[in-house]
Amino acid sequence: MLPSSPEHGAFFSGTLEIRDYFREKNPEMPIHIFANDDEYKELALHSADFWIGTFLVGSVIVPIFVNIISSYLYDELKAKDGDHVSIDVIVERKDGKSSSVSYRGDVKDFGKVIESVKKLADE
């Protein structure tokens, strides 16, 4: 997980909970927060939006990642149509190149985001 606000080096509020959720669902999948404990800070945004964060994901684990992040959004956060979500996913392909998907919009279109992330992993 990368800082969601690079200019401030801050992560969205709830980053630690998302990390713990990933670890619970798939303990073998490595998930790290790219900050030292003394550098870690959260950015609290006061809105009804779900600010998920910024993820750097290897193409090999994209299928696991999309399942867990979707489960987190719908099962843990109880997101429903009309809610807004914000997420950035950087997919690092086997050839070392990376591409990203950024989404800020209605949760009803989140499935399209997931499909875009899957396509990046297949390239």
Side-chain angles (χ1 to χ4, degrees):
M1 298 177 74
L2 301 172
S4 299
S5 174
E7 62 274 6
H8 297 108
F11 295 82
F12 287 137
S13 178
T15 296
L16 296 175
E17 289 81 4
I18 293 171
R19 182 205 56 194
D20 293 345
Y21 186 82
F22 268 86
R23 286 181 173 169
E24 175 188 320
K25 294 297 180 186
N26 191 333
E28 287 81 38
M29 187 172 102
I31 182 160
H32 304 284
I33 295 174
F34 285 96
N36 294 326
D37 288 345
D38 58 332
E39 296 173 343
Y40 179 82
K41 52 186 166 180
E42 288 190 350
L43 178 65
L45 300 172
H46 301 285
S47 72
D49 293 355
F50 295 113
W51 299 87
I52 304 298
T54 303
F55 298 85
L56 175 61
V57 182
S59 61
V60 175
I61 62 169
V62 163
I64 298 167
F65 170 79
V66 297
N67 286 337
I68 294 174
I69 202 69
S70 295
S71 174
Y72 180 78
L73 185 62
Y74 295 109
D75 298 340
E76 286 296 305
L77 298 178
K78 307 292 185 205
K80 57 191 179 312
D81 288 356
D83 291 338
H84 287 89
V85 64
S86 175
I87 189 169
D88 296 299
V89 180
I90 304 164
V91 176
E92 186 174 36
R93 296 188 302 264
K94 293 175 189 172
D95 63 4
K97 295 180 181 177
S98 61
S99 298
S100 64
V101 173
S102 294
Y103 181 71
R104 283 149 187 74
D106 197 301
V107 78
K108 72 179 176 185
D109 295 322
F110 193 70
K112 294 176 187 174
V113 175
I114 294 301
E115 291 306 314
S116 294
V117 171
K118 288 178 182 177
K119 284 181 186 177
L120 289 179
D122 292 338
E123 291 179 349

